């Protein structure tokens, strides 16, 4: 070993230093951007370094939850009550449920919706619903202020708005109720090329088209899609990314309608259907009515079957594309956790944000404005291990969203 | 009656084919910066790319003693230790646990500075798997250290002025909390 006298300064060639650095967790790397200008430049702006880090860390990526809060100031004046939308605020919830605030990189920053997350990159936008255009009764939905953001490094890049307005709904005077309409979106990486794509899919009870944005070409294009799940809405606006495709499911009605998983492949820009697992006890009064795709830490496609206000089961497709590989991971009953859920047991009041194979589920409670972590056990009752609640401030109403994201250094070219 | 036994010529009775191979196996000799001389078994020596290239590419006779002016004696000992184990585990079917246990012991008594010196040597000698392992070990040791520690360890000069430094630090104050600067 080196004795005190012999300890001379070891000067490592840069590629060896980088070999060491790219094995560090993100927190350490962000701290070491203060070491020198060269280190800062490599850690934050070198895509090759970001890629090495991502490849090495892929198996133990820290999964954080991005919490977006949209405060609304309620003021009661002489003219009535006004609601003023304040800038959205963003926080990162750690693995141990510690929270730190994030700086949103762009303007405008009100009512920003997170619409996708992949490899540490998050797509956000401001969605204008049914803005009136001077064409009489025509309303349309459109997106503005789209962008890609890496909350860990602050990297940010704008996405041009799609030139076509998404979906024109004609509302006649008699029929104020809308058609079954909804807009779906998803974001992910094309495995072969490394490109990232963002898709927007309006579903207006008519022909379906997919608007696809490629980060590499910086262009939108429209892809016609075969008509899927007629008159049935998908359970979540935000599609789940896994294995190069974005996935949605619709609700299930036992005996009436059995949904499939609809996957939009980002490489060939086509839809395909994949069967859901066959439930063995669907006759037994276990009415699985809701099916959702929460995100499984580890990348496998996962679905959740829910009984209205009792049981939830989580299944994962261990081998992507192989229906026989659907495996039930674990399940839990919300009634076993009254402290957490009561009185909002119904599945409409909560959503899983992500699950892990060891039985961990992070859940967003909409009404209670909380995020909780639950550990499910095989033989015993589930346990709530962490809770985070939004602060209630008098005079304010707060809407909040939660999305899963990875802590990486990944960015895309400007 | 005295028989002069030539130790080099005696064949020890050992079971297994390795015994015969052992005797026939050539040795490669290297000399480190501090003058120490090491006899390496050929199969271990060939794990070290710089040695492999030296002897194989130019068909230099194994009689030649290869100089390694950038390597200290103690470093060579460690490299030989790691490569020997690596060769041994190559032939084992289920060596995972053993490898992990060996790796833990290997770095146990090395200071971070020594680890760094060894990493440099592994890079110079061109032993990729050892280099990757050592880089991982160094990263484990520095991940909770602060900026000053890391600058000192890697000999990096701070080219931020005070104002710039405060600015970059203020971008992510959370990253500078909960550190552990115990001397290692």
């Amino acid at each position: 070993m080196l004795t005190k006298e012999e300890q001379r300064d070891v000067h490592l060639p840069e590629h060896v230093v980088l070999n060491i650095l790219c094995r560090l967790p993100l927190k350490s790397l962000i701290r070491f951007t203060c070491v020198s200008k060269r280190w800062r430049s490599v850690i934050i702006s070198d895509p090759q370094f970001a890629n090495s880090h991502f490849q090495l860390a892929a198996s133990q990526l820290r999964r954080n939850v991005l919490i977006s809060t949209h405060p609304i100031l309620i003021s009661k004046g002489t003219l009535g009550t006004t609601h003023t939308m304040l800038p959205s605020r963003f926080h990162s919830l750690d693995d141990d449920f510690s929270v730190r605030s994030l700086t949103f990189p762009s303007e405008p920053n009100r009512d920003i919706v997170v619409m996708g997350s992949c490899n540490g990159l998050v797509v956000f936008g401001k969605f204008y619903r049914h803005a009136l255009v001077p064409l009489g009764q025509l309303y349309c939905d459109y997106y503005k202020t789209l962008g890609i953001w890496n909350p860990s490094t602050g990297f940010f890049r704008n996405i041009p708005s799609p030139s076509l307005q998404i979906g024109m709904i004609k509302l006649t005077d008699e029929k104020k109720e809308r058609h079954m309409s909804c807009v779906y979106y998803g974001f992910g990486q094309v495995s072969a090329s490394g490109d990232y794509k963002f898709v927007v899919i309006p579903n207006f009870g008519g022909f379906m088209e997919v608007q696809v944005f490629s980060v590499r070409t910086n262009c939108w294009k429209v892809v016609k899609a075969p008509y899927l799940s007629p008159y049935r809405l998908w359970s979540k606006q935000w599609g789940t990314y896994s294995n190069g495709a974005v996935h949605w499911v619709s609700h299930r009605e036992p005996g009436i309608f059995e949904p499939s998983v609809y996957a939009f492949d980002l490489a060939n820009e086509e839809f395909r259907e994949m069967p859901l697992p066959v439930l063995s006890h669907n006759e037994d009064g276990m009415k699985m009515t809701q099916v959702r795709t929460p995100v499984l830490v580890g990348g496998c496609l996962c679905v959740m079957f829910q009984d209205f206000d009792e049981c939830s089961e989580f299944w994962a497709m261990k081998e992507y594309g192989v229906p026989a590989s659907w495996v039930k991971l674990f399940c839990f009953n919300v009634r076993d956790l009254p402290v957490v859920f009561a009185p909002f047991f119904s599945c409409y009041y909560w959503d899983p944000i992500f699950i892990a194979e060891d039985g961990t589920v992070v859940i967003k409670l909409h009404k209670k404005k909380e995020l909780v972590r639950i550990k499910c056990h095989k033989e015993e009752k589930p346990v709530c291990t962490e809770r985070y609640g939004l602060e209630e401030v008098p005079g304010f109403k707060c809407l909040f969203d939660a999305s899963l994201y990875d802590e990486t250094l990944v960015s895309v070219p400007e | 009656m005295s028989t002069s036994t030539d130790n080099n010529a005696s064949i020890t009775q050992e079971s297994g084919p390795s015994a015969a191979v052992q005797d026939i196996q050539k040795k490669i000799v290297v000399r480190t910066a501090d003058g120490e001389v090491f006899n390496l078994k050929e199969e271990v020596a060939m794990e070290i790319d710089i040695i492999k290239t030296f002897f194989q590419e130019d068909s230099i006779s194994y009689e030649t003693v290869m100089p390694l002016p950038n390597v200290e004696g103690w470093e060579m000992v460690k490299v030989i230790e790691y490569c020997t184990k690596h060769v041994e585990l190559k032939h084992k079917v289920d060596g995972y646990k053993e490898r992990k246990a060996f790796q833990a012991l290997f770095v146990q008594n090395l200071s971070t500075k020594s680890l760094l010196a060894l990493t440099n040597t592994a890079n110079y000698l061109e032993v990729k798997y050892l280099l990757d392992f050592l880089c991982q070990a160094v990263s484990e040791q520095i991940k909770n250290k602060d900026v000053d520690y890391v600058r000192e360890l890697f000999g990096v000069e701070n080219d931020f002025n005070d104002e710039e430094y405060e600015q970059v630090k203020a971008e992510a104050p959370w990253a500078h909390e909960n550190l552990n600067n115990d001397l290692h």
Side-chain angles (χ1 to χ4, degrees):
Chain A
M1 312 301 139
L2 300 181
T3 59
K4 263 218 149 137
E5 304 88 75
E6 288 168 11
Q7 269 191 18
R8 53 193 155 88
D9 274 332
V10 179
H11 184 73
L12 292 171
E14 194 176 76
H15 74 270
V16 177
V17 176
L18 294 184
N19 191 340
I20 297 172
L21 293 184
C22 73
R23 296 163 191 278
L24 287 168
L26 190 101
K27 180 180 169 184
S28 312
L29 281 172
I30 297 292
R31 182 166 66 248
F32 296 158
T33 56
C34 296
V35 167
S36 77
K37 291 184 179 168
R38 172 71 187 149
W39 278 42
R40 183 176 168 76
S41 161
V42 170
I43 292 172
I44 297 212
S45 328
D46 185 341
Q48 227 178 356
F49 180 78
N51 206 39
S52 313
H53 175 258
F54 180 65
Q55 300 297 336
L56 274 171
S59 52
Q60 348 134 357
L61 269 181
R62 286 255 298 212
R63 255 63 185 223
N64 284 22
V65 178
L66 180 64
I67 302 175
S68 16
T69 45
H70 314 292
I72 304 174
L73 176 61
I74 307 171
S75 22
K76 293 186 162 72
T78 44
L79 296 166
T81 314
T82 49
H83 289 72
T84 317
M85 193 104 218
L86 295 176
S88 304
R89 283 155 53 213
F90 295 86
H91 292 83
S92 171
L93 184 83
D94 234 313
D95 204 39
D96 54 5
F97 267 55
S98 63
V99 171
R100 67 175 204 266
S101 74
L102 298 167
T103 318
F104 187 68
S106 123
E107 286 285 327
N109 55 4
R110 282 167 175 67
D111 204 12
I112 299 290
V113 174
V114 172
M115 297 189 280
S117 151
C118 177
N119 296 352
L121 295 170
V122 159
V123 173
F124 63 84
K126 193 160 155 51
F127 179 53
Y128 294 83
R129 166 134 265 178
H130 296 153
L132 223 83
V133 280
L135 283 165
Q137 298 276 24
L138 232 52
Y139 290 80
C140 58
D141 302 333
Y142 66 102
Y143 287 99
K144 247 180 107 171
T145 328
L146 289 168
I148 298 180
W149 177 36
N150 182 329
S152 309
T153 62
F155 163 81
F156 155 76
R157 173 188 145 169
N158 273 314
I159 294 182
S161 300
S163 49
L164 298 172
Q165 268 126 10
I166 303 158
M168 316 271 247
I169 322 170
K170 193 155 183 181
L171 292 185
T172 60
D173 282 321
E174 304 92 47
K175 255 179 138 179
K176 277 299 178 186
E177 74 185 71
R178 292 185 0 231
H179 292 281
M180 295 244 268
S181 77
C182 194
V183 181
Y184 303 99
Y185 33 73
F187 176 66
Q189 188 178 38
V190 181
S191 342
S193 65
D195 188 15
Y196 287 91
K197 289 189 183 168
F198 177 59
V199 301
V200 178
I201 309 174
N203 183 5
F204 290 108
F207 202 74
M208 219 155 79
E209 14 173 88
V210 180
Q211 307 244 4
V212 182
F213 176 77
S214 151
V215 166
R216 196 159 279 180
T217 64
N218 201 41
C219 283
W220 285 91
K221 72 175 193 231
V222 178
V223 171
K224 296 275 191 250
Y227 195 59
L228 299 169
S229 61
Y231 303 108
R232 284 182 187 278
L233 294 178
W234 290 337
S235 54
K236 237 172 59 165
Q237 279 188 286
W238 179 353
T240 306
Y241 170 75
S242 168
N243 289 88
V246 188
H247 305 77
W248 291 269
V249 287
S250 16
H251 298 314
R252 172 179 183 259
E253 277 163 68
I256 303 172
F257 177 67
E258 294 288 346
S260 310
V261 177
Y262 301 103
F264 184 74
D265 188 298
L266 293 171
N268 60 26
E269 294 173 357
E270 279 175 7
F271 266 102
R272 63 169 174 271
E273 274 185 59
M274 295 196 296
L276 280 171
V278 176
L279 297 179
S280 57
H281 43 241
N282 50 6
E283 269 85 28
D284 252 329
M286 250 261 242
K287 289 179 299 184
M288 297 300 196
T289 53
Q290 302 256 26
V291 183
R292 301 182 212 244
T293 51
V295 183
L296 175 63
V297 171
C300 286
L301 187 64
C302 174
V303 291
M304 176 175 79
F305 287 95
Q306 273 178 310
D307 199 343
F308 185 66
D309 59 356
E310 298 216 3
C311 276
S312 298
E313 289 190 358
F314 296 92
W315 292 67
M317 190 184 240
K318 286 291 190 155
E319 250 184 270
Y320 187 72
V322 178
S325 71
W326 278 112
V327 162
K328 178 169 147 183
L329 293 176
F330 56 89
C331 61
F332 78 97
N333 189 324
V334 288
R335 299 278 169 186
D336 285 334
L337 286 163
V339 176
V340 173
F341 288 94
F344 305 108
F345 292 105
S346 154
C347 54
Y348 293 117
Y349 291 122
W350 60 270
D351 262 319
I353 303 297
F354 71 87
I355 75 169
E357 272 188 74
D358 64 357
T360 306
V361 192
V362 170
I363 292 176
K364 175 184 180 246
L365 303 170
H366 308 314
K367 274 284 196 186
K368 287 180 137 182
K369 301 216 197 311
E370 275 184 25
L371 283 167
V372 293
R373 174 154 70 216
I374 302 208
K375 185 83 196 292
C376 301
H377 300 283
K378 272 206 160 67
E379 304 296 319
E380 303 146 26
K381 292 210 171 142
V383 174
C384 175
T385 54
E386 297 280 2
R387 273 171 104 147
Y388 169 74
L390 277 194
E391 267 181 74
E392 297 280 6
V393 182
F396 283 82
K397 188 169 99 166
C398 220
L399 306 171
F400 95 106
D401 289 312
S403 351
L404 180 71
Y405 79 102
D406 305 319
E407 285 197 307
T408 72
L409 299 167
V410 173
S411 64
V412 291
E414 299 283 325
Chain B
M1 208 154 39
S2 64
T3 37
S4 61
T5 39
D6 185 27
N7 284 334
N8 287 338
S10 67
I11 296 168
T12 44
Q13 293 294 320
E14 280 178 47
S15 55
S18 55
V21 178
Q22 240 173 7
D23 288 354
I24 304 172
Q25 235 189 37
K26 300 193 204 121
K27 298 276 184 176
I28 286 183
V29 187
V30 302
R31 184 192 299 114
T32 53
D34 45 1
E36 258 193 83
V37 171
F38 292 89
N39 289 310
L40 285 79
K41 289 195 200 143
E42 185 183 9
E43 64 174 357
V44 173
M46 290 300 138
E47 294 289 306
I48 302 169
D49 278 357
I50 198 179
I51 298 181
K52 182 170 172 188
T53 314
F54 181 81
F55 284 102
Q56 286 192 345
E57 249 179 38
D58 303 325
S59 315
I60 292 186
S61 139
Y62 281 22
E63 306 268 310
T64 319
V65 176
M66 180 184 179
L68 294 174
N70 293 338
V71 183
E72 297 292 316
W74 73 266
E75 293 168 342
M76 200 66 217
V77 169
K78 290 301 268 184
V79 172
I80 294 173
E81 184 189 335
Y82 198 90
C83 292
T84 307
K85 192 67 175 181
H86 184 91
V87 169
E88 184 194 311
L89 287 175
K90 256 194 219 182
H91 306 301
K92 265 205 174 164
V93 171
D94 200 9
Y96 181 77
K97 273 198 179 155
E98 200 182 325
R99 183 191 303 277
K100 284 288 160 191
F102 169 77
Q103 285 176 337
L105 274 178
F106 186 81
V107 294
Q108 206 173 50
N109 293 316
L110 291 175
S111 69
T112 312
K113 264 250 146 89
S114 305
L115 253 189
L116 226 61
L118 201 55
T119 307
N120 208 12
T121 299
N123 176 53
Y124 166 73
L125 290 174
E126 294 170 42
V127 188
K128 185 166 191 319
Y129 52 80
L130 177 58
L131 176 63
D132 285 343
F133 165 66
L134 289 171
C135 285
Q136 183 68 38
V138 173
S139 78
E140 297 286 329
Q141 288 200 2
I142 66 171
K143 69 183 178 191
N144 287 325
K145 298 286 195 272
D146 72 7
V147 173
D148 286 321
Y149 178 99
V150 165
R151 277 196 197 121
E152 211 253 292
L153 183 69
F154 288 94
V156 178
E157 215 185 280
N158 176 18
D159 54 356
F160 289 116
N161 64 38
D162 285 341
E163 203 188 302
E164 287 167 333
Y165 177 78
E166 287 308 315
Q167 211 172 8
V168 291
K169 188 171 174 193
E171 278 177 14
W174 57 274
H176 297 257
E177 291 162 12
N178 295 328
L179 303 180
N180 157 34
N181 273 323
D182 293 350
L183 272 180
H184 194 104

